[in-house]
């Protein structure tokens, strides 16, 4: 019988039988009893094995995977009417014996303790009266002929997700292969996703695309599919929420990078680099590449530039910089491809709705809108969003100046703005990104509309 289910009198008698001082609070007795059981691991008179703290921790993890939060706290005693005080009491009893400092021999102790904390937070969170959503049935595909292929880190080539020391659940394979998440290699700390990872089956490498996950592929003489592990609804919701946060962060980075690139194009690169060299911001001469260490004066650098006229050295250095830029561009293209795949997978997992298209990169929007490269280059991000939205049935969009709701054009349509369809911190976005978010909802603004006017329009939409 579990020591967590013992009543006060039984707890004192059982604790005394194991040499624990019966004087003290119930929590102190429980902590002492579990510690004694861990040391001795005895059996009861009927031969049944006594439950240890490690067994309880494993059971907590099993219940958390099954999304049985109430069952987790029930391990700490009778939850009764599920009132907050009772749930907190059960939590305290569990936390006394499941703290990672007391389970040093169990490698997943931290995860078990965090599962108990999460169970208490979710069960005691205040509820908001809202219409219940109809639960949609998810169609589970067959795993017949499917295998868990080997995934390797692109840098150190070590297998990913096969060691218990990584602490990953089985369904992490689903998130990796669908492109919904990137992971960090536990050996070399390289972050990678399904695009940059190496993929093997029976020791042979094969090319993989995230679009292949729900189909079968042929590699050599072998035809196989990709295994889909069981994943609870709660775990999937948490994974999608985390992926959406990453997508919002990446969208901000893309916009900032685009603005920096546009600013750099307006400058004379040679003049700027020579000025940075003289000011000590560059260690290498921008003409010949000669290195100047710390302590070199600005006058010495100016004298060097005046005497640096060897055209052969200049050409050689330019070639070396061009090769480095090509390598960096190839690496960046690979990273961008992974970001594109992850953003598309996140958008699909979040429902694939038109109003959340703002999280998609320009390249993905271009493919969705079926635009050529020339058309995409001549289009703004807002135009790309509108074109992709029309492909998804939004139709003609509204035009508003942000101060009031405009009349709908003939055949026009718009999508209501909600907290779920907007970025979490939309007020901190720059104007160009706010315009793109509004465009995804069917609202477009005239040029030079201020950020304040756009935010006011969004607030009006949320209030209606």
């Amino acid at each position: 019988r579990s020591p967590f289910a013992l009543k006060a009198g039984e707890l004192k008698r059982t604790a005394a039988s194991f040499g624990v001082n019966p004087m003290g609070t119930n929590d102190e007795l429980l902590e002492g009893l579990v510690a004694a059981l861990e040391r001795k691991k005895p059996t009861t008179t009927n031969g049944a094995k006594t439950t240890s703290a490690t067994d309880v921790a494993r059971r907590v993890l099993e219940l958390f995977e099954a999304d049985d939060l109430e069952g987790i706290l029930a391990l700490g005693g009778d939850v009764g009417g599920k009132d907050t005080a009772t749930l907190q009491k059960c939590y305290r009893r569990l936390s006394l014996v499941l703290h990672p400092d007391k389970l040093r021999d169990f490698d997943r102790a931290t995860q078990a303790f965090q599962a108990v904390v999460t169970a208490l937070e979710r069960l005691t969170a205040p509820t908001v009266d809202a219409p219940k959503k109809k639960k949609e049935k998810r169609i589970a595909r067959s795993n017949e002929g499917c295998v868990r292929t080997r995934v390797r880190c692109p840098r150190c080539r070590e297998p990913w997700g096969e060691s218990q020391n990584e602490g990953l659940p089985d369904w992490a394979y689903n998130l990796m292969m669908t492109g919904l998440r990137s992971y960090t290699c536990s050996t070399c700390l390289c972050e990678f996703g399904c695009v940059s990872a190496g993929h093997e089956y029976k020791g042979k490498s094969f090319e993989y695309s995230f679009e292949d996950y729900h189909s079968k592929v042929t590699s050599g003489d072998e035809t196989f599919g990709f295994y889909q592990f069981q994943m609870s609804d709660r775990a999937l919701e948490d994974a999608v929420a985390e992926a959406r946060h990453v997508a919002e962060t990446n969208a901000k980075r893309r916009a900032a990078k685009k603005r920096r690139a546009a600013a750099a194009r307006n400058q004379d690169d040679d003049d700027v680099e020579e000025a940075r060299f003289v000011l000590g911001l560059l260690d290498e001469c921008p003409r010949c590449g000669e290195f100047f260490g710390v302590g070199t004066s600005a006058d010495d650098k100016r004298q060097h530039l005046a005497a640096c006229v060897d055209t052969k050295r200049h050409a050689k250095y330019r070639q070396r910089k061009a090769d480095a830029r090509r390598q960096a561009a190839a690496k960046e293209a690979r990273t961008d491809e992974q970001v594109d795949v992850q953003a598309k997978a996140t958008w699909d997992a979040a429902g694939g709705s038109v109003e959340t298209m703002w999280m998609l990169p320009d390249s993905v929007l271009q493919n969705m809108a079926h635009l050529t490269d020339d058309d995409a280059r001549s289009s703004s991000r807002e135009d790309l969003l509108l074109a992709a939205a029309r492909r998804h049935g939004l139709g003609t969009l509204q035009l508003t100046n942000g101060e009031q709701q405009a009349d709908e054009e003939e055949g026009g349509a718009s999508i209501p703005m909600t907290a779920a369809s907007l970025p979490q911190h939309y007020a901190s976005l720059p104007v160009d990104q706010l315009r793109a978010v509004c465009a995804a909802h069917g609202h477009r603004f005239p040029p030079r509309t201020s950020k304040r006017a756009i935010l006011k329009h969004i607030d009006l939409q949320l209030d209606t």
Side-chain angles (χ1 to χ4, degrees):
R1 186 180 179 184
S2 171
F4 298 97
L6 297 177
K7 295 183 179 179
E10 295 176 307
L11 183 59
K12 285 189 177 184
R13 289 192 296 271
T14 306
S17 67
F18 283 99
V20 179
N21 188 349
M23 302 299 292
T25 65
N26 290 342
D27 289 342
E28 292 172 341
L29 291 175
L30 180 62
E31 183 178 1
L33 176 58
V34 171
L37 292 173
E38 280 291 306
R39 289 193 300 269
K40 300 180 181 180
K41 295 185 182 289
T43 57
T44 58
T45 54
N46 59 4
K49 190 176 180 180
T50 306
T51 305
S52 68
T54 303
D55 295 331
V56 175
R58 291 195 179 97
R59 181 58 179 159
V60 165
L61 292 172
E62 292 174 2
L63 293 172
F64 190 71
E65 290 289 335
D67 203 28
D68 187 0
L69 304 180
E70 184 180 332
I72 292 175
L73 294 185
L75 295 174
D78 185 9
V79 295
K82 304 179 188 178
D83 58 284
T84 301
T86 302
L87 294 174
Q88 289 177 339
K89 181 179 179 181
C90 295
Y91 162 77
R92 284 195 297 270
R93 300 182 75 182
L94 281 173
S95 63
L96 285 172
V97 294
L98 295 185
H99 195 278
D101 290 343
K102 298 179 180 179
L103 288 177
R104 297 182 183 274
D105 295 334
F106 185 48
D107 57 355
R108 300 185 66 189
T110 301
Q111 297 178 39
F113 185 77
Q114 187 59 48
V116 177
V117 174
T118 302
L120 178 68
E121 290 177 347
R122 290 180 180 171
L123 291 176
T124 57
T127 57
V128 179
D129 294 333
K132 293 184 178 180
K133 294 182 180 179
K134 185 177 180 181
K135 190 172 182 180
E136 298 180 358
K137 292 183 177 179
R138 286 193 294 152
I139 301 176
R141 65 169 172 85
S142 170
N143 278 323
E144 183 178 356
C146 296
V147 295
R148 188 204 185 283
T149 55
R150 170 161 285 180
V151 180
R152 289 188 179 275
C153 169
R155 180 187 294 170
C156 66
R157 307 303 298 173
E158 284 294 314
W160 166 85
E162 298 182 11
S163 170
Q164 292 184 351
N165 294 331
E166 295 181 72
L168 296 175
D170 291 339
W171 44 259
Y173 179 78
N174 303 6
L175 304 182
M176 165 66 82
M177 301 301 280
T178 55
L180 194 60
R181 271 201 65 177
S182 298
Y183 289 90
T184 301
C185 175
S186 60
T187 301
C188 67
L189 303 182
C190 171
E191 184 177 355
F192 63 95
C194 65
V195 173
S196 55
H199 298 273
E200 293 181 2
Y201 177 58
K202 291 187 176 180
K204 295 182 180 179
S205 300
F206 64 92
E207 293 295 326
Y208 177 77
S209 169
F210 75 102
E211 297 175 340
D212 296 334
Y213 183 63
H214 295 295
S215 59
K216 292 188 176 181
V217 299
T218 300
S219 177
D221 298 332
E222 300 284 348
T223 300
F224 55 92
F226 303 94
Y227 201 89
Q228 185 177 40
F229 291 91
Q230 184 177 1
M231 188 176 183
S232 69
D233 291 341
R234 173 68 69 179
L236 180 59
E237 289 174 6
D238 290 344
V240 172
E242 182 181 352
R244 177 165 173 169
H245 174 71
V246 172
E248 292 180 14
T249 303
N250 287 336
K252 291 181 180 179
R253 289 175 180 171
R254 284 194 303 270
K257 180 180 176 182
K258 195 173 182 180
R259 289 193 298 271
R260 289 195 300 269
R265 284 194 296 268
N266 297 328
Q267 298 176 344
D268 186 349
D269 291 340
D270 291 338
D271 291 343
V272 171
E273 286 200 352
E274 288 184 9
R276 292 173 63 199
F277 173 65
V278 172
L279 292 172
L281 300 177
L282 288 180
D283 293 328
E284 291 182 347
C285 171
R287 296 181 186 176
C288 65
E290 183 176 341
F291 180 81
F292 288 79
V294 178
T296 306
S297 67
D299 289 338
D300 291 340
K301 292 182 177 180
R302 290 191 186 97
Q303 292 177 6
H304 170 79
L305 288 175
C308 188
V309 293
D310 189 339
T311 56
K312 290 184 178 180
R313 288 188 67 187
H314 295 177
K316 186 176 181 180
Y317 182 57
R318 282 196 299 269
Q319 182 63 43
R320 193 174 75 188
K321 288 200 300 184
D323 293 341
R325 281 195 295 267
R326 279 194 293 270
Q327 292 178 1
K331 182 178 179 180
E332 186 176 356
R334 195 71 170 172
T335 302
D336 289 343
E337 185 181 359
Q338 177 60 52
V339 170
D340 291 354
V341 168
Q342 190 168 349
K344 181 62 165 60
T346 301
W347 183 72
D348 288 335
S353 57
V354 173
E355 62 268 26
T356 55
M357 280 184 174
W358 51 263
M359 70 173 66
L360 297 175
D362 291 353
S363 57
V364 177
L365 292 173
Q366 177 186 345
N367 293 333
M368 294 174 65
H370 302 292
L371 297 177
T372 63
D373 290 341
D374 292 337
D375 291 338
R377 277 193 292 268
S378 61
S379 302
S380 65
R381 176 165 174 79
E382 201 172 353
D383 292 331
L384 289 175
L385 275 163
L386 301 180
R390 281 193 289 271
R391 283 282 180 175
H392 281 70
L394 183 56
T396 308
L397 302 178
Q398 290 184 329
L399 184 66
T400 175
N401 60 9
E403 297 294 336
Q404 59 184 3
Q405 186 71 29
D407 294 331
E408 217 171 296
E409 300 176 2
E410 183 179 356
S414 64
I415 299 174
M417 293 184 182
T418 63
S421 67
L422 294 172
Q424 188 175 6
H425 303 293
Y426 66 87
S428 64
L429 298 177
V431 175
D432 55 344
Q433 285 188 270
L434 281 175
R435 294 176 68 95
V437 171
C438 292
H441 289 79
H443 301 270
R444 198 171 187 181
F445 297 85
R448 298 185 180 180
T449 303
S450 66
K451 178 178 179 178
R452 180 179 179 183
I454 297 176
L455 289 175
K456 182 177 180 182
H457 178 74
I458 294 176
D459 292 338
L460 288 174
Q461 290 290 314
L462 291 174
D463 292 338
T464 56

